[in-house]
Amino acid sequence: MKQLPAETVRLLSSSQVITSVVSVVKELIENSLDANATSIDVKLENYGFDKIEVRDNGDGIKAADVPVMAVKHYTSKISCPEDLECLTTYGFRGEALGSICCIAEVLITTKTAADDFSTQYILDSSGHVTSQKPSHLGQGTSVTALKLFKNLPVRKQFYSTSKKCKEELKKIQDLLMAYGIIKPELRIIFTHNKAVIWQKTRVSDHRMSFLSVLGTAVMGSMVPFQHHCEDPEVFLSGFLPKPESDNSLTSLSNSERSFIFINSRPVHQKEILKLVRQYNNLKSHKDSSRSYPVFFINIAVPASSVDVNLIPDKTQVLLHNKSFQWISLYGLSLQYAKGLPKIKWTNLLVGSKAYSKWF
């Protein structure tokens, strides 16, 4: 047996972190949000395979951090294992920029409030700075990735069809919508080949952000809800379809408008989605098992109760205390009970002993 060369190890791990154009955009967007950005521009050329650029107006990168800003496992967000129990940032592993450098050509332009001017840095495949020059960018950071998957021809070939490329654009738009909803103060513009695909302006609250994403007709069919439990501490809020709502407005054939967040992080939570779909089926009085309701739910729990380090894209999380999930589902079931016979809404939770303690 032989030890793998460092370059091969970097490529293997990087191709697991960065799997597609949308994964690049997601990592860069989360870096921007962690840097307190309120304005983000996402620009693609040739569906992102020629160029991906994410520009923000955030804090910028300090000069002292520049030499290691894209070197793997360097991060300003955690410093010890205990920090994982109190995460307040989207990113924390120090892998994203380093992984992108392995599979693309990367340029970073950045300026902090203390800098007199911005500087553009060119990085090598290991994330180290190879050259730099003054630039004209205002405060914030712009990350540009060129020739994505240049050294992974099979993966690039996978996205070579027009259908796959358009699906990737749609996934990016859906991702940006999620962040646009959970961050009302965030302005986003998404362009492809210089044509605007989607945009959102800054708004005042979650209702206005949900309205800006869904439109007036759909929002008119939604009802706000809140549920709070003190022990353990769980707070639910969001918007669900009204019992009398028009299914053509509040249901889709897929889950792309079923927005679930845990501590403002967009996640895939099967139990929550299943319960909402069951409710939607009951209130519509017909079999809608193939449809997915439009809704927005944010579940706020103590940071120490969530493990987000399950998979590279952090879209699946574990709640340390199962009670958090039970209470979340119970709180939702109470909301769904409005307008439904008791025997029906209690049946939503039948079949799972985990929830029996609440009845």
Side-chain angles (χ1 to χ4, degrees):
M1 296 179 70
K2 295 181 180 180
Q3 185 176 14
L4 289 172
E7 185 67 21
T8 304
V9 172
R10 284 197 297 268
L11 182 60
L12 287 172
S13 62
S14 298
S15 62
Q16 290 181 308
V17 175
I18 303 300
T19 58
S20 59
V21 175
V22 68
S23 62
V24 175
V25 173
K26 182 178 188 294
E27 296 291 351
L28 296 181
I29 286 285
E30 292 185 347
N31 279 352
S32 295
L33 295 176
D34 286 340
N36 302 307
T38 57
S39 178
I40 299 177
D41 290 84
V42 178
K43 299 178 181 180
L44 305 185
E45 292 182 11
N46 185 28
Y47 300 97
F49 295 101
D50 287 351
K51 181 179 180 180
I52 303 170
E53 180 183 284
V54 175
R55 177 179 296 188
D56 67 53
N57 67 341
D59 298 334
I61 302 169
K62 297 177 181 178
D65 293 333
V66 164
V68 293
M69 63 184 172
V71 177
K72 280 197 173 185
H73 310 306
Y74 278 80
T75 180
S76 60
K77 297 165 186 175
I78 64 171
S79 58
C80 63
E82 289 72 26
D83 290 343
L84 290 172
E85 298 180 8
C86 54
L87 280 175
T88 57
T89 57
Y90 287 105
F92 54 88
R93 288 193 295 245
E95 286 187 324
L97 282 176
S99 294
I100 297 170
C101 286
C102 281
I103 56 177
E105 297 175 5
V106 176
L107 297 81
I108 297 180
T109 305
T110 190
K111 179 183 182 298
T112 68
D115 296 330
D116 295 328
F117 55 85
S118 62
T119 303
Q120 182 186 82
Y121 302 92
I122 298 178
L123 309 178
D124 64 17
S125 62
S126 61
H128 292 102
V129 176
T130 60
S131 64
Q132 65 184 72
K133 63 180 181 180
S135 183
H136 62 279
L137 188 71
Q139 181 176 329
T141 300
S142 176
V143 179
T144 303
L146 307 171
K147 301 178 183 178
L148 186 66
F149 300 136
K150 61 179 182 176
N151 48 359
L152 294 170
V154 174
R155 186 168 298 180
K156 189 172 184 179
Q157 179 67 25
F158 177 76
Y159 291 102
S160 62
T161 66
S162 176
K163 181 181 178 181
K164 288 287 185 184
C165 288
K166 289 178 180 178
E167 287 175 354
E168 200 71 0
L169 280 186
K170 186 67 171 62
K171 289 177 183 177
I172 294 170
Q173 181 177 331
D174 293 343
L175 177 73
L176 296 179
M177 285 181 172
Y179 289 114
I181 288 172
I182 201 65
K183 298 287 185 181
E185 72 283 3
L186 183 63
R187 165 203 165 274
I188 308 174
I189 297 183
F190 173 36
T191 62
H192 175 242
N193 292 343
K194 299 183 179 180
V196 175
I197 303 295
W198 182 79
Q199 59 184 321
K200 171 195 167 281
T201 59
R202 298 183 182 95
V203 292
S204 57
D205 53 35
H206 285 136
R207 181 186 178 280
M208 292 303 297
S209 60
F210 204 39
L211 172 63
S212 69
V213 169
L214 297 177
T216 305
V218 176
M219 195 62 196
S221 300
M222 295 284 145
V223 60
F225 80 97
Q226 291 186 349
H227 178 73
H228 181 229
C229 179
E230 293 184 357
D231 186 21
E233 185 76 14
V234 183
F235 185 79
L236 285 78
S237 61
F239 295 88
L240 298 165
K242 293 178 179 177
E244 70 278 9
S245 63
D246 181 353
N247 261 25
S248 66
L249 290 174
T250 60
S251 294
L252 297 175
S253 60
N254 55 57
S255 60
E256 64 187 30
R257 296 294 176 268
S258 300
F259 296 101
I260 302 173
F261 302 85
I262 292 183
N263 290 351
S264 298
R265 183 187 297 276
V267 296
H268 301 308
Q269 210 67 5
K270 291 182 179 179
E271 290 296 330
I272 298 291
L273 181 58
K274 180 181 178 181
L275 184 68
V276 180
R277 292 184 72 192
Q278 287 177 323
Y279 156 71
N280 202 52
N281 193 14
L282 279 175
K283 62 94 179 174
S284 63
H285 305 293
K286 64 180 181 180
D287 181 13
S288 47
S289 58
R290 294 185 178 180
S291 68
Y292 292 81
V294 176
F295 66 89
F296 155 46
I297 295 170
N298 187 34
I299 303 169
V301 297
S304 59
S305 68
V306 185
D307 182 354
V308 300
N309 195 28
L310 281 183
I311 58 176
D313 67 3
K314 302 181 285 286
T315 58
Q316 295 180 28
V317 302
L318 280 180
L319 294 172
H320 290 183
N321 185 342
K322 198 68 176 178
S323 296
F324 288 110
Q325 181 138 311
W326 299 342
I327 294 169
S328 299
L329 294 176
Y330 177 59
L332 288 173
S333 71
L334 291 180
Q335 176 63 31
Y336 300 159
K338 298 175 182 178
L340 290 175
K342 184 176 181 180
I343 187 65
K344 285 189 176 182
W345 72 264
T346 53
N347 283 345
L348 287 172
L349 301 182
V350 168
S352 177
K353 295 180 180 178
Y355 314 128
S356 62
K357 62 180 286 188
W358 303 109
F359 296 96

